[in-house]
Amino acid sequence: MNGGRQRTLFQSWGTQSSSSQPRADRRPEVGLQAEGRRRPGDAGGAAAAAQDGFEEGEDDDVLLVAVFEAERGLDSGGPSSSSRRAESRAALPGFDLSSGDMWIYPTNWPLRTYQFDMVRAALFHNTLVCLPTGLGKTFIAAVLMYNFYRWYPTGKIVFMAPTKPLVAQQIEACYKVMGIPQSHMAEMTGHTQALNRQTVWKTRRVFFLTPQVMMNDISRGACPASDVKCLVVDEAHKALGNHAYCQVVKELCNHTRQFRVLALTATPGGDAKAVQQVISNLMIARLEVRAEDSIDVQPYSYQRHVEKFIVPLGSDLIAIQSLYLQILEAFTRRLLKIGALLRKDTANLTKYQIILSREQFRKNPPANIVSAQRGMVEGDYGLCISLYHGYELLLQMGMRSLYNYLKGILDGSKGMTRVCNELCKNAVFMEMYDQLQAMFSNSQAGSKNEKQLIYSHPKLQKLEEVVVNHFQSWATSRGPNSSGGKADGTNSRVMIFSSYRDSVQEIAEMLNKHQPLVKVMTFIGHASGKNSKGFTQKEQLEVMKCFREGGYNVLVSTCVGEEGLDIGEVDLIICFDAQKSPIRMIQRMGRTGRKREGKIVVLLAEGREERTYNQSQCSKRSIFKTILGNGNKSFHLYANSPRMVPSDLNPAVHKMYITTGEYEPNNVSRKATKKGRKSVNKQSKLKEDGLLTAEELEFWDRKFRLRDDLGMPRLMLLPFEIVKDEPKNMEQENGTIRELSLSEWSLWQNHSLSTHFVGHSDRCQHFISIMDMIDLMKQEELCQFSHNLEV
């Protein structure tokens, strides 16, 4: 570019720079005037601008104009605007130009400014939305998914949630927001057969599934990964390390980079490092974070009162603690003696610190330890980790939880043979175990005898007091109920969190004695061992529904109730134990204060648990301060967030009322056409005992029953040379012979056929392998026979 050309461009830019329009709006005028199509009356202004600006040497403006000249193709050989638009749209296959000039925002829900801003940002950038629980993250996802559903008529929209109950909940919630036809949506979990999922991927457009299912379908080619245009990640703080969320995003990037990512969470991570991992793993280009005290969120969030109770350890628990510390010192002394453990403060050691010490030992073992001794050291590490887990149970949950844990070790149900042998040799341990056994062996958690109830931890007494006082004060403050009778407080809801199942059962049994004021139900996850029975997905959904409708007014839950699930209106949250992770504490506290004021009670044992809680709260404040203060500068955001709309289009918002129908559960995940439904209605219903009905029995008798006049079947002898000498005329008593052939139906017998509800048995698999071997032998025999003929 010569100097004259630069001057002309600068003169044009200088004329526009004197106006009050924003610079972004003036850029097209630069190219217009540079081509010599200057408007009348602009010459003087240009000359003045040149005199005031160019001669002063403002090179930045000159370079800026030159950049725009290169980008816009102002040179004579540059592409035209129409060809540029064609190239832009060709880079986005499947985009519907007729609907791309606008995006839809629903007015059938109250307009909230922060939700509108987050949706608008998520349309054009990979966005991490961080909102307190109950403020409408699912609404934002539903609006985004609907607009990509419009923009890409042949594309696939995916919503991933970590658990199956959450998947079932979110598909219904999204339908109620935007009303995407249920015939276009599908819910898929691990229970959906792989062959059926492959068909669903071809026929549906919007998918709600777990990340493991998504990963499996991408890896085996069932999911058309290149067609995925929008990916929503719920509970995005889990996207760390090698989590299935991270694997899905990596696999999608191997097929296409043109897809939008929306990540949803109530808290992005436990620390700044974890937040950065989430941002990097999910390719986040923009952060949309709101806290409860954010200005645009305050009108929609209700106050939550947090009350903390520091409960001192009782004399009984302190006595057991003293014996337990002697046991810990006996076994940690071994590791200290050989230098495998450096910290001598046995009472303040944690299980996590011992695990870190073991990892360090494996990387750099001390020089004085020979390879033959390393096995013994590894065993001592495992023993100490198990014992410190029991120590945490004692301090946080109580003596009963410790007793159940130790009992599982000694009876072999936990499979810790070496730990059992070592503990049985320790006299102090046996003394302590005998004391626990005397207290709890005859008063298990399942006992209904009130006299046998033993408070294994002082926190249980405080918990009982808080729950009973809440319902009594609620009944008093609300006055008579709707039927005119005395208020009983049952229209209030209380949720109690405890990390261990034994503690959950103990709390439930303790509160059961206060019926009918307190109607308690436990809420746990799937079974995790041979001797533990959990709740299935169906049972979990049923418990939540019953709790929302008032069947129970107290729900005692493990961590399965912390994240995502729609528990309903909860007035009081009680945290029976403190979690070091701020994520879990925030998730627990988010269960209340959604539509009315709520209260949170945290029960803390004096000492270690109190310090853990204070550390968690400090971490939470630090994370939100970092993100809200200067989040875009504190973290490295993804720089190549794709533009899913052609560059020459700037979609405008169109607010409209969306009419949604009644959601039909499981309708979209079942194969039910009109023809199929008619044929099902014609058939008689199955008997409750699972046996055949009269119609089915008649059909079986007519088509499949063997007639009595048929003789005993035998195999054909011709294909098998080893039975050549046996008589060929084996007459039956009735004079008839039925010859069976193994090779006649080998086409269907040498491989497994597809199944629907019932899979193949082991005997069937063995038979298939035998038939396959026979088929190969037959082929070899034919080949040998042909070879002999040729010879």
Side-chain angles (χ1 to χ4, degrees):
M1 185 182 293
N2 54 33
R5 179 63 172 169
Q6 289 180 348
R7 185 178 179 84
T8 303
L9 285 172
F10 180 73
Q11 290 172 351
S12 302
W13 179 258
T15 304
Q16 297 299 325
S17 65
S18 62
S19 67
S20 59
Q21 296 180 355
R23 179 167 293 186
D25 297 334
R26 288 186 264 110
R27 290 172 184 174
E29 287 295 321
V30 176
L32 240 168
Q33 296 183 12
E35 293 293 335
R37 295 188 293 272
R38 188 170 293 124
R39 296 186 181 93
D42 281 351
Q51 183 177 359
D52 295 338
F54 183 78
E55 293 177 358
E56 293 178 1
E58 295 184 2
D59 295 335
D60 290 343
D61 285 340
V62 178
L63 292 175
L64 184 62
V65 174
V67 168
F68 279 114
E69 179 183 23
E71 290 181 349
R72 298 292 184 180
L74 296 179
D75 293 333
S76 58
S80 64
S81 61
S82 60
S83 63
R84 290 195 302 272
R85 285 195 298 268
E87 292 176 1
S88 173
R89 298 177 183 185
L92 296 173
F95 185 83
D96 183 16
L97 296 175
S98 61
S99 62
D101 58 346
M102 70 171 61
W103 61 279
I104 305 297
Y105 191 85
T107 59
N108 48 307
W109 292 76
L111 177 63
R112 297 183 178 183
T113 305
Y114 69 90
Q115 289 180 330
F116 181 85
D117 294 340
M118 289 178 171
V119 171
R120 183 170 54 187
L123 287 170
F124 305 103
H125 306 277
N126 290 349
T127 305
L128 173 64
V129 169
C130 179
L131 268 178
T133 304
L135 289 177
K137 293 187 292 293
T138 304
F139 174 87
I140 296 170
V143 177
L144 179 76
M145 294 167 67
Y146 179 76
N147 282 282
F148 275 89
Y149 170 83
R150 291 178 57 252
W151 286 350
Y152 289 90
T154 60
K156 306 294 183 184
I157 317 297
V158 177
F159 188 111
M160 294 193 302
T163 63
K164 288 180 282 188
L166 194 52
V167 169
Q169 173 184 301
Q170 297 290 26
I171 186 173
E172 180 177 359
C174 289
Y175 174 80
K176 291 180 178 179
V177 174
M178 299 302 292
I180 296 176
Q182 285 190 252
S183 59
H184 293 183
M185 297 194 297
E187 172 191 347
M188 294 191 295
T189 62
H191 291 311
T192 311
Q193 290 190 355
L195 291 176
N196 293 342
R197 295 204 304 264
Q198 189 168 6
T199 303
V200 172
W201 279 111
K202 295 178 181 178
T203 57
R204 305 298 175 91
R205 294 183 53 197
V206 183
F207 305 88
F208 294 80
L209 37 69
T210 53
Q212 292 80 8
V213 171
M214 181 74 174
M215 184 61 198
N216 292 338
D217 287 351
I218 293 177
S219 60
R220 66 187 184 88
C223 168
S226 58
D227 293 339
V228 175
K229 300 302 179 183
C230 179
L231 179 69
V232 179
V233 180
D234 200 11
E235 307 298 342
H237 55 269
K238 295 181 177 292
L240 301 172
N242 199 34
H243 191 274
Y245 280 155
C246 310
Q247 297 179 28
V248 167
V249 174
K250 290 179 182 178
E251 284 297 321
L252 285 178
C253 288
N254 292 335
H255 294 82
T256 178
R257 290 299 180 99
Q258 290 294 328
F259 64 94
R260 174 68 65 241
V261 176
L262 172 63
L264 308 174
T265 184
T267 175
D271 51 37
K273 184 178 179 181
V275 176
Q276 181 59 61
Q277 286 187 43
V278 172
I279 291 173
S280 302
N281 292 337
L282 299 181
M283 303 189 302
I284 300 300
R286 186 181 179 114
L287 297 177
E288 290 289 339
V289 182
R290 302 291 191 278
E292 293 178 351
D293 55 352
S294 298
I295 297 177
D296 51 354
V297 168
Q298 284 182 350
Y300 310 102
S301 61
Y302 293 84
Q303 189 173 5
R304 297 169 182 168
H305 304 280
V306 180
E307 193 171 358
K308 181 173 64 173
F309 291 102
I310 308 300
V311 181
L313 303 178
S315 57
D316 293 339
L317 195 146
I318 290 177
I320 297 296
Q321 181 191 23
S322 177
L323 293 175
Y324 203 88
L325 285 175
Q326 295 180 39
I327 301 169
L328 290 175
E329 289 176 358
F331 290 105
T332 54
R333 194 181 301 119
R334 299 180 184 178
L335 297 175
L336 290 168
K337 186 176 181 181
I338 62 174
L341 193 65
L342 300 179
R343 186 170 178 175
K344 299 181 180 181
D345 189 4
T346 307
N348 292 320
L349 267 175
T350 64
K351 179 173 61 177
Y352 181 66
Q353 290 172 346
I354 298 177
I355 293 174
L356 292 180
S357 178
R358 183 177 63 178
E359 294 298 321
Q360 185 66 27
F361 170 80
R362 290 173 177 175
K363 294 179 181 178
N364 300 304
N368 60 332
I369 298 178
V370 297
S371 58
Q373 293 178 303
R374 292 181 185 177
M376 294 296 295
V377 176
E378 287 283 347
D380 289 339
Y381 270 124
L383 177 60
C384 290
I385 291 171
S386 301
L387 288 176
Y388 270 98
H389 177 71
Y391 189 57
E392 293 176 1
L393 287 177
L394 174 66
L395 297 181
Q396 293 186 9
M397 302 299 164
M399 295 178 287
R400 189 191 300 273
S401 294
L402 174 63
Y403 170 70
N404 291 335
Y405 176 68
L406 297 178
K407 181 182 177 183
I409 293 177
L410 296 184
D411 64 17
S413 61
K414 294 188 178 296
M416 302 179 184
T417 306
R418 186 181 186 277
V419 177
C420 176
N421 295 334
E422 292 283 351
L423 292 178
C424 290
K425 299 175 184 178
N426 189 288
V428 179
F429 173 81
M430 296 309 299
E431 177 187 352
M432 181 196 70
Y433 185 77
D434 289 340
Q435 293 184 21
L436 294 175
Q437 191 173 29
M439 282 191 285
F440 300 113
S441 61
N442 295 324
S443 65
Q444 294 299 320
S447 175
K448 297 182 180 180
N449 190 343
E450 186 176 345
K451 294 181 180 179
Q452 293 181 343
L453 180 63
I454 297 176
Y455 295 99
S456 64
H457 198 290
K459 289 195 298 183
L460 288 170
Q461 293 174 288
K462 190 64 180 179
L463 171 66
E464 183 181 25
E465 176 188 338
V466 170
V467 172
V468 173
N469 288 342
H470 169 78
F471 284 112
Q472 290 176 347
S473 62
W474 184 276
T476 303
S477 62
R478 303 296 169 176
N481 58 27
S482 58
S483 61
K486 184 180 179 181
D488 57 3
T490 54
N491 57 343
S492 178
R493 303 287 181 272
V494 175
M495 193 166 183
I496 303 171
F497 285 103
S498 182
S499 298
Y500 297 96
R501 293 186 179 185
D502 290 339
S503 178
V504 167
Q505 297 295 337
E506 184 177 11
I507 293 171
E509 291 297 334
M510 178 191 69
L511 295 177
N512 265 332
K513 67 179 184 179
H514 295 286
Q515 293 182 351
L517 181 66
V518 178
K519 294 180 290 185
V520 64
M521 181 62 184
T522 60
F523 186 63
I524 58 179
H526 293 290
S528 59
K530 297 180 180 179
N531 300 324
S532 59
K533 184 181 183 302
F535 285 9
T536 63
Q537 176 186 353
K538 184 177 180 181
E539 290 172 336
Q540 290 177 3
L541 295 175
E542 193 65 30
V543 169
M544 287 189 296
K545 180 182 178 182
C546 192
F547 182 68
R548 289 193 299 265
E549 295 175 353
Y552 310 104
N553 57 7
V554 175
L555 194 65
V556 188
S557 174
T558 57
C559 59
V560 70
E562 293 175 354
E563 295 182 344
L565 295 176
D566 183 15
I567 303 296
E569 290 304 311
V570 180
D571 300 301
L572 173 63
I573 294 291
I574 302 178
C575 299
F576 187 72
D577 60 324
Q579 295 296 321
K580 189 174 182 179
S581 169
I583 296 176
R584 295 187 61 182
M585 292 301 297
I586 292 174
Q587 296 284 1
R588 288 182 175 186
M589 295 179 178
R591 300 289 95 189
T592 187
R594 296 191 173 196
K595 294 185 179 179
R596 59 191 182 208
E597 291 187 4
K599 182 179 179 181
I600 301 165
V601 171
V602 183
L603 301 177
L604 303 173
E606 188 178 23
R608 175 184 290 195
E609 191 175 24
E610 181 183 1
R611 294 192 296 270
T612 298
Y613 174 79
N614 294 335
Q615 183 179 355
S616 171
Q617 294 303 299
C618 182
S619 299
K620 183 187 76 171
R621 290 191 293 268
S622 175
I623 285 297
F624 276 93
K625 183 178 179 181
T626 302
I627 299 176
L628 293 174
N630 52 353
N632 293 333
K633 297 180 181 179
S634 301
F635 301 102
H636 299 285
L637 300 177
Y638 184 64
N640 300 319
S641 183
R643 180 177 174 87
M644 301 300 293
V645 180
S647 57
D648 60 312
L649 283 182
N650 187 20
V653 62
H654 177 67
K655 299 178 181 179
M656 62 181 293
Y657 190 92
I658 303 293
T659 303
T660 60
E662 189 69 22
Y663 180 78
E664 299 180 12
N666 297 330
N667 180 59
V668 295
S669 61
R670 293 177 180 176
K671 197 174 182 179
T673 61
K674 293 182 179 179
K675 182 178 179 181
R677 284 194 294 268
K678 290 180 180 178
S679 63
V680 170
N681 292 333
K682 290 181 180 179
Q683 296 179 359
S684 59
K685 295 183 179 180
L686 293 176
K687 294 174 64 177
E688 293 183 359
D689 55 10
L691 301 178
L692 298 179
T693 62
E695 295 178 2
E696 294 168 337
L697 184 61
E698 187 275 332
F699 181 78
W700 171 81
D701 183 72
R702 178 163 39 89
K703 292 287 188 180
F704 301 106
R705 182 190 288 274
L706 296 177
R707 300 193 307 273
D708 295 336
D709 58 344
L710 293 177
M712 183 65 67
R714 69 177 178 83
L715 292 175
M716 296 174 59
L717 303 180
L718 292 178
F720 300 96
E721 298 294 333
I722 59 174
V723 296
K724 189 186 302 181
D725 298 333
E726 292 191 9
K728 296 184 178 180
N729 295 324
M730 299 176 60
E731 298 293 338
Q732 303 294 328
E733 295 180 358
N734 56 5
T736 59
I737 297 176
R738 288 193 303 124
E739 289 187 342
L740 300 180
S741 172
L742 288 176
S743 60
E744 182 178 356
W745 306 99
S746 61
L747 180 62
W748 293 274
Q749 293 175 332
N750 60 5
H751 63 283
S752 58
L753 301 178
S754 60
T755 60
H756 186 46
F757 287 113
V758 181
H760 297 289
S761 65
D762 291 339
R763 289 186 177 182
C764 180
Q765 297 292 353
H766 291 321
F767 176 77
I768 290 170
S769 62
I770 292 172
M771 294 303 299
D772 186 40
M773 181 183 67
I774 292 175
D775 192 44
L776 291 175
M777 292 172 61
K778 181 180 178 181
Q779 293 179 12
E780 292 177 359
E781 184 178 352
L782 291 175
C783 292
Q784 183 64 32
F785 180 72
S786 301
H787 178 70
N788 294 337
L789 290 178
E790 293 176 358
V791 174

